[in-house]
Amino acid sequence: MQQTPPQSLPRVIGPWIATAVIIGTVIGSGVFKKGRNVADNVPEFGLIMAVWVLGGLLALLGALALAEVAVLFPRAGGNYVFLREGYGRCAGFLWGWVDFWILRAASIAALATMFTESFHDVLKQSIAPGQKVDVLSFWPRQLLTTLVIGGLTVVNVRGTRLSGGVQFAITILKVASLLFLITAPFVVLAVASEPTHPPQVSHLSPAVPSNLFGINWSGFGVALVGVLWAYNGWMNIAPIAEEVKEPQRNIPRSLLLAVFTLIALYCGANLAYHLVLPRDQIVAKDANGHLSSTPVATEFCGELLGPVGVVLASAIVMTSVFGALNGNLLVGPRLLYAMGRDRLAPPAFARLHPQYHTPALATLAMAGWSVLLVLCVGALTQYQVPTVPLGFAELDLNVPRGKSPFDIMTDFVIFGSVTFETLAVASIFVFRWKYPATPGNRAYRCWGYPVVPALYVLIMALVLVNFFVNPESRTEALVGLGFIASGGVVYALFFGTRRA
């Protein structure tokens, strides 16, 4: 019996929308929230900026290498395809296992949660300014979070061109918002005759310690993990490569333009934060010793513009995470689509909607699991659950009351992301060996090969080691390893004996 050839996604994404997908999915919450974590772990301003620059340079090194791999395999699925072709079906399945169940779903859930919280902040400032009251209680906020995910799911099911257009428009707003934050201190200083709190360079602590060996490298590593969350998603052109027009030319251009733009915006925004806010205000903690959950951008705008600035900052954060959320719902289902074509996931995920030509079922599955994650994490933060006896120990499922659902969901994203994304970049060495370059067989070749990808892999390997060295991140690393191992067991039981 002759098999029906798999359907292909139409190439409808041009270079500008491709660039907007990358920028729009990366700029979400990190640039507004993670500045506190960075400043808390790295006390010197120069080192704080070095962390943000290093995160950007890592993304740039990875982009230079990954662009070659993506041009070689311009197919839906991104890292899943690279790992499958480079290391075998099991490696591809493990990425899909971790990405669907934790990485992508947790990112969607975290971004939707932050959108709702920012919207709630706007309501509070509009209805009850200056009062610490909840306009919406906890569970209505969770309901709103699920409705936001549901609404964007409909947009992404109805067409890639439609969701790409939405992404482009929101990305323009994001970039404009960050440019506003970067220039705001200087504009306020210029127009105000006697500014109440002008930017003061005295806020900036020394660039680096006098003794470089006196740097707390473990703290630097923890800060870098926070920055990696802010840059997380720079690979997001790869999952939609099958839908990019002229991929040999547009993938490298869009990827590199997006990364350079992100570095400039992130470094500019954090410079502005530290020009206006003293470090003690940035690393402010509550009575329980937890870092303030208020985005740095909110305090920054409040310091410059008062209550109006607080509302404006909340609107900026809300718009930003909305765009990142839409981008993730556009990119994430392409993984399930690719795995469905290979029968490493239910084959129904590979079916395209007859009218909109989108992986509708895969999109609904991704959104449904993200909604369930929002509700489950919300329940863990609100209710006490009994400990689970394991015979030799007890597993405490309760979540500390001072920890937000956002932080819980982002804690477990970076370890798995770093692990598999590093393997994806390293696959360039495999493909250079398996498919030797000849004149004309590669439209793009990695600049600086093999130094550029080797340097990326080495630095990211050190980041992974730091996960286990630092007690604050060791739990996330061990849980991540355990979940990867569980994926290996599932593959062995259900797919290990199947032929490709």
Side-chain angles (χ1 to χ4, degrees), residues 50-416:
V51 174
W52 286 97
V53 171
L54 177 59
L57 290 178
L58 282 173
L60 178 60
L61 293 175
L64 288 168
L66 193 80
E68 178 175 325
V69 180
V71 166
L72 195 60
F73 299 101
R75 306 173 192 166
N79 285 350
Y80 163 73
V81 176
F82 310 151
L83 294 170
R84 183 197 65 199
E85 296 294 329
Y87 309 110
R89 281 164 59 85
C90 182
F93 174 83
L94 289 178
W95 164 252
W97 173 264
V98 173
D99 186 77
F100 173 71
W101 291 111
I102 296 183
L103 305 186
R104 189 72 62 180
S107 296
I108 291 172
L111 290 166
T113 298
M114 191 170 180
F115 173 86
T116 302
E117 294 300 326
S118 298
F119 176 72
H120 188 231
D121 289 340
V122 172
L123 285 181
K124 287 194 295 185
Q125 289 296 324
S126 302
I127 298 174
Q131 300 181 32
K132 295 183 177 181
V133 295
D134 285 339
V135 177
L136 295 175
S137 59
F138 181 81
W139 284 112
R141 295 203 303 273
Q142 305 315 298
L143 175 61
L144 178 59
T145 301
T146 63
L147 291 176
V148 170
I149 295 175
L152 285 177
T153 300
V154 172
V155 171
N156 281 275
V157 166
R158 286 186 60 85
T160 302
R161 196 187 302 272
L162 172 62
S163 58
V166 170
Q167 191 66 27
F168 183 79
I170 297 176
T171 299
I172 294 297
L173 286 176
K174 285 188 184 190
V175 172
S177 298
L178 282 173
L179 290 175
F180 164 76
L181 295 180
I182 292 169
T183 57
F186 308 100
V187 173
V188 170
L189 186 62
V191 302
S193 56
E194 294 183 1
T196 57
H197 199 324
Q200 296 181 17
V201 179
S202 61
H203 288 166
L204 308 184
S205 52
V208 294
S210 57
N211 178 9
L212 285 176
F213 293 101
I215 296 174
N216 178 4
W217 290 108
S218 181
F220 189 91
V222 173
L224 182 59
V225 169
V227 169
L228 290 177
W229 163 259
Y231 282 101
N232 189 43
W234 63 265
M235 290 185 170
N236 275 339
I237 195 173
I240 59 170
E242 188 170 309
E243 297 160 274
V244 176
K245 301 174 182 177
E246 300 182 58
Q248 292 77 13
R249 181 178 67 175
N250 290 331
I251 287 177
R253 290 181 177 180
S254 298
L255 190 52
L256 296 177
L257 175 61
V259 171
F260 277 117
T261 302
L262 290 166
I263 294 172
L265 293 174
Y266 280 7
C267 291
N270 280 276
L271 174 61
Y273 294 157
H274 285 270
L275 282 171
V276 172
L277 300 174
R279 180 179 176 275
D280 291 344
Q281 191 170 344
I282 293 177
V283 298
K285 299 183 179 181
D286 59 23
N288 297 319
H290 299 106
L291 283 173
S292 172
S293 60
T294 303
V296 180
T298 301
E299 291 196 18
F300 169 83
C301 289
E303 192 76 16
L304 286 175
L305 303 172
V308 174
V310 174
V311 175
L312 179 61
S314 296
I316 289 173
V317 174
M318 186 171 64
T319 303
S320 181
V321 296
F322 186 80
L325 178 59
N326 180 70
N328 275 280
L329 282 167
L330 169 64
V331 170
R334 272 60 184 173
L335 168 68
L336 295 180
Y337 167 80
M339 294 181 71
R341 287 202 300 198
D342 291 344
R343 297 187 178 277
L344 288 177
F349 288 156
R351 296 175 189 163
L352 299 182
H353 192 282
Q355 179 179 356
Y356 305 123
H357 306 292
T358 58
L361 186 59
T363 304
L364 292 172
M366 180 70 71
W369 171 234
S370 300
V371 165
L372 187 59
L373 195 58
V374 168
L375 299 177
C376 290
V377 172
L380 287 174
T381 61
Q382 291 299 299
Y383 306 115
Q384 293 291 312
V385 296
T387 56
V388 178
L390 299 177
F392 57 89
E394 287 187 338
L395 177 62
D396 188 359
L397 298 177
N398 292 307
V399 175
R401 289 284 179 164
K403 200 167 188 179
S404 70
F406 173 86
D407 289 327
I408 295 164
M409 288 181 283
T410 58
D411 280 349
F412 292 95
V413 169
I414 293 301
F415 177 80

